[in-house]
Amino acid sequence: MVIAREPVFAFDNSYAALPQRFFARLPPTPVSGARALVLNDALARELGLDPSRLGDRATVDILSGNRVPAGAAPLAMAYAGHQFGSWVPQLGDGRAILLGEIRLPDGTRRDIQLKGAGRTPFSRMGDGRAALGPVLREYIISEAMAALGIPTTRSLAVVATGEPVYRERTLPGGILTRVARSHIRVGTFQFLAARDDTDGLRLLADHVIDRQVPDARGSASPYRVLLETVVTLQARLIASWMHVGFIHGVMNTDNMSISGETIDYGPCAFMDGYDPRQVYSSIDHAGRYAYGNQPAIGHWNLACLARALLPLLADTEDAAMTIAREVIDGYPDQFRNAYLAGLAAKLGLARSRPGDDKLAQDLLGCMAGSGADHTLTFRRLSALDIEPDHRDTDLFALFADPDRCSAWLASWRARLAHEQRGDTARRAAMRMVNPSCIPRNHLVEQALEAAVEHDDTGPFHALLSVLTAPFDERAPNDRYTRPPQPDEVVQATFCGT
Ligand code: AMP
Ligand code: MG
């Protein structure tokens, strides 16, 4: 006798209940040779799913789009957006299918989405598919971000489709199961605003409030609270990117999440040597999304969200503009506060004092001038004693101009003398905010090459396990912590779409 099994996902969908014009209903397109490559047991547990069932044939059929599970309401979301500053009125999930939402024990929802699941009405010229390399890249970088404590969409699984995709060359296809607090973007609001669909805007805003900002319900101006919430989440998010040297690479408004999670890992990268002008993305010719521009681009994108929300903010346009301006003008300070507080923590300063910001800026100035490795500078600083000793030379080794670094170190130590906290506690706290390893581009590329070109996921899993414990102490000169050798440096990253 065959006993019917419980479905892995107990769907409870809310987005699918919104009006039809918000999305297109359609199932994923089946693939011929689905094979599970990576399964995230730890995330499954966090989501209240049974990890032992993830690799079952029946589950892999779901994760590859070959079977629509009971309770799913598959759809492609509609959105618009500013891409590199240019308005595109119609985007949408061109290669992603939202299967539905699950509820966690704490009552919050998570979207379960298949990325690379076939063509949709929003595919335009695209094939609706994803190449395996970029899918594995999103998996490893998003999981590294989560381990660093940075809000992000998560990755539950990668399946190889067994089908080719045609880019500059023929590549194996892959599908990512992406998990998000929501996939609603700044561009989702822009989509409705651009169509003068005020009823739709209100329904979408109410949906987001119910799902993510329930406290706004009791407010006299819930839509203002919604906007304020997104501003705060994004200010903190972008500050946390800056603290680890993360460059998103495509901060288009359709790639900015209302939930404050990092979303859409394309040509993103972590920088090695500190340089505010650093750009990796092969398509970012003007450096619009350079490392140091990210805070300002966040501001610009949030202004787009405010503009889209204008019809909800007040009865007259003037009054709405005043509110929008007030909220958006609050962003620079919110970003700055989050950024400087994080920098102070990276320097081991528990209580703020005048001059701390300058101390941090001076270090960054030395690093930029010296091409010092961002991650290693802070990690090696975390090991230093309040008194100078032989370990100082480990830090100096990162700087082209050790004398400047040495002068800065003296001022840092003078400042540490004002800390109440003991030196051992200070070092331990610094090691919890200054990772020893990040997904360095050359390591990621090596792991992807082995997986995609040689069908060997060993290096991928080895790197993944290092990146999921990024604050652990590692041996000096460990291959996962050291910067690339000159011949390993990755100059450009690609979105791979
Ligand atoms: P992205 O640059 O990944 O944020 O994608 C921008 C837009 O292009 C989104 O609407 C995607 O759904 C769409 N897109 C990207 N790649 C493909 C593809 N291979 N097939 C169809 N649509 C795609
Ligand atoms: Mg996108």
Side-chain angles (χ1 to χ4, degrees), residues 79 83 92-95 123-124 126-129 167 255 264 497:
Y79 50 85
Q83 299 193 310
D93 292 331
R95 53 166 173 168
S123 297
R124 297 175 292 165
D127 60 2
R129 293 297 183 188
R167 300 293 182 259
N255 292 338
D264 277 4
T497 50

Side-chain angles (χ1 to χ4, degrees), residues 116-262:
R119 299 198 81 238
T120 78
F122 310 119
S123 297
R124 297 175 292 165
M125 306 300 281
D127 60 2
R129 293 297 183 188
L132 187 55
V135 163
L136 288 168
R137 197 164 191 281
E138 170 153 355
Y139 186 107
I140 203 161
I141 298 183
S142 63
E143 288 307 300
M145 290 286 268
L148 287 165
I150 298 175
T152 175
T153 61
R154 301 289 304 270
S155 297
L156 183 64
V158 173
V159 296
T161 61
E163 295 179 357
V165 297
Y166 304 99
R167 300 293 182 259
E168 293 87 41
R169 60 192 183 104
T170 305
L171 297 166
I175 297 176
L176 179 77
T177 304
R178 180 158 71 175
V179 178
R181 283 182 177 270
S182 133
H183 280 87
I184 296 170
R185 304 144 190 271
V186 168
T188 319
F189 282 96
Q190 291 181 294
F191 174 83
L192 296 164
R195 286 155 183 78
D196 292 324
D197 185 351
T198 304
D199 291 341
L201 270 179
R202 188 171 291 109
L203 285 168
L204 184 66
D206 287 341
H207 170 85
V208 173
I209 287 171
D210 286 345
R211 185 164 168 177
Q212 285 176 290
V213 202
D215 292 349
R217 266 277 150 264
S219 156
S221 36
Y223 304 118
R224 178 187 175 130
V225 175
L226 170 62
L227 182 60
E228 287 169 343
T229 303
V230 180
V231 167
T232 300
L233 291 172
Q234 286 294 337
R236 288 185 193 153
L237 177 68
I238 297 170
S240 67
W241 292 354
M242 303 303 281
H243 294 142
V244 296
F246 176 76
I247 307 169
H248 183 286
V250 216
M251 290 177 70
N252 295 335
T253 57
D254 52 303
N255 292 338
M256 182 183 255
S257 164
I258 295 298
S259 73
E261 292 177 319
T262 312

